[in-house]
């Protein structure tokens, strides 16, 4: 049986290998601290397995959790004090890339399409085969798809050295920086808020100000709340447990007998409207601007705000009309 931990270990190994590349790159003025950040992050993946084993008592090798906490604090210091840098990527000339694009044509899309195809096949066909850890076929399929895409990409382009895609991936990793981790951190923050009872407190506040049985005001509060919490937290998945525990489930579903799938799905879409409007969603809004070297890093957000607000109004109206 292929376990999901193995995929995490592979991801950690990739980070460690790229950290070694960064340390050897003299064009990066912050090569040692950059290598320390990504290398430390890579080590946390296998180490985290030992922490989970210790907390759950599931057997296997166990390690104390405290060093992992120290590692997280070290990552925060390295990223927060701007100790991450990037080197000068070794790449082909513009003429060589143009010639390669002409030669490959639409074949260049084959590796990218391989990832979802393999993931879907694994989730739909191999879920109950016993090959993958139970309940993890989709995630493991994504990992297998990435490996298959790497192999196919090298075959399509005729590249024979594995170091070439690793160096290319490292250059993109340096360009994105610590923003790469922001979605995961914000999703964890949403879980912490939910466990801390933030949703319950928000629900108490909303109940105290909303008129009784005011369906439309409750719908507006839920959709706008999802939007605002996502703007603040940068991730609709982080805002969802808070606002759903506060308004979506107790008020709209239980009190007003709303259609739960419709309310929750539309509420999530309202949260995605907030994703379009916040720099906290760095992977969507800031990283693309950085990779494309735009003069205004907030340019994507400014262009998306009108669409986001219009879509938020549509979500609110659709929920009020069709979800009850």
């Amino acid at each position: 049986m292929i376990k999901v931990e193995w995929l995490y270990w592979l991801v950690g190994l990739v980070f460690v290998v790229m950290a070694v590349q960064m340390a050897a790159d003299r064009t990066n003025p912050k090569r040692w601290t950059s290598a320390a950040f990504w290398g430390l992050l890579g080590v946390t993946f296998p180490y985290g397995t030992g922490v989970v084993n210790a907390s759950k008592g599931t057997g296997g090798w166990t390690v104390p959790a405290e060093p992992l906490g120290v590692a997280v604090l070290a990552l925060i210091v390295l990223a927060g004090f701007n100790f991450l840098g990037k080197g000068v990527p070794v790449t082909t000339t513009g003429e060589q890339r143009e010639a390669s694009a002409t030669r490959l044509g639409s074949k260049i899309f084959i590796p990218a399409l391989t990832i979802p195809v393999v993931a879907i096949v694994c989730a739909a066909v191999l879920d109950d085969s016993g090959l993958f850890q139970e309940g993890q076929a989709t995630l493991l399929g994504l990992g297998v798809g990435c490996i298959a895409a790497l192999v196919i990409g090298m075959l399509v382009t005729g590249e024979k050295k594995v170091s070439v895609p690793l160096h290319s991936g490292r250059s993109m990793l340096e360009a994105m920086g610590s923003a790469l981790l922001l979605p995961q951190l914000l999703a964890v923050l949403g879980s912490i808020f939910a466990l801390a009872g933030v949703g319950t407190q928000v629900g108490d506040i909303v109940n105290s100000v909303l008129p009784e049985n005011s369906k439309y005001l409750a719908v507006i509060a839920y959709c706008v709340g999802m939007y605002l919490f996502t703007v603040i937290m940068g991730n609709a998945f982080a805002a969802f447990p808070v606002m759903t525990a506060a308004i979506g489930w107790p008020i709209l579903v239980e009190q007003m007998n709303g259609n739960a799938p419709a309310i929750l799905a539309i509420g999530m879409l309202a949260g995605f409207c907030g994703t379009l409007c916040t720099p906290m969603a760095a992977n969507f809004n800031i990283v693309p601007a950085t990779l494309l070297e735009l003069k205004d890093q907030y340019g994507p957000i400014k262009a998306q705000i009108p669409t986001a607000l219009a879509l938020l109004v549509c979500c609110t109206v659709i929920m009020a009309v069709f979800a009850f």
Side-chain angles (χ1 to χ4, degrees), residues 97 203 220:
R97 288 194 293 273
I220 292 173

Side-chain angles (χ1 to χ4, degrees), residues 65-78:
E66 289 78 9
L68 187 59
V70 173
V72 172
L73 294 176
L75 293 174
I76 293 172
V77 170
L78 289 170

Side-chain angles (χ1 to χ4, degrees), residues 1 121-138:
M1 179 187 296
V121 169
C122 290
V125 179
L126 301 178
D127 191 16
D128 299 324
S129 65
L131 179 63
F132 296 134
Q133 181 179 341
E134 185 179 355
Q136 301 293 342
T138 301

